[in-house]
Amino acid sequence: MSLGQRISAGIGAPAAGFALVGAVIGVVALAVALAAGVAAPAIAALLASWLFFAGLAAGGVAVAAAIRIAYGRWAEPLLPIAEASTAFFAPAFVLLLVVLAGRHLLVHGESFAPVAIRLVVASAVVFALGWRFVAV
């Protein structure tokens, strides 16, 4: 089953459309905030949103793993929804790079490279393992 089919089976085509509209609104709001000179709060809000939604996506994969490992036949209808959360991994990784590009607005004068490298590598590993789990 392709990723698009998993998303449609998990959250349905109308919900996927609403999610796309929400993402476009978010990009426009970020651009307006940057243009209006309130970049630091915008980047901070993006970071908080990234943390919540990336954690939610990873949690969906964890729920799918728990259902499979425990042979939870009663919860099999939930698997498409849980596995559909992997669709956010690619956008989450891009958003992480955007947040790290704007990190100078949040952290002043500190060497941020080790933290950024650790965050990018850890996110890449978690997202890759999540994709691998769902692909099997």
Side-chain angles (χ1 to χ4, degrees):
M1 185 184 302
S2 74
L3 183 59
Q5 292 170 332
R6 283 192 188 121
I7 294 169
S8 292
I11 63 172
F18 288 133
L20 181 62
V21 169
V24 169
I25 290 170
V27 168
V28 170
L30 180 63
V32 168
L34 294 175
V38 288
I43 295 295
L46 182 61
L47 177 60
S49 297
W50 176 85
L51 183 61
F52 176 77
F53 287 108
L56 194 63
V61 174
V63 166
I67 290 170
R68 286 187 183 173
I69 289 170
Y71 298 103
R73 302 275 181 241
W74 61 271
E76 282 183 354
L78 299 176
L79 284 176
I81 297 169
E83 292 175 348
S85 66
T86 59
F88 185 67
F89 285 168
F93 196 75
V94 171
L95 287 175
L96 174 62
L97 298 178
V98 170
V99 167
L100 291 177
R103 63 106 182 128
H104 65 280
L105 299 167
L106 301 175
V107 180
H108 300 286
E110 295 293 323
S111 175
F112 196 68
V115 174
I117 291 170
R118 183 184 69 207
L119 190 55
V120 168
V121 170
S123 296
V125 167
V126 167
F127 294 162
L129 289 175
W131 270 322
R132 177 73 176 118
F133 174 77
V134 171
V136 172

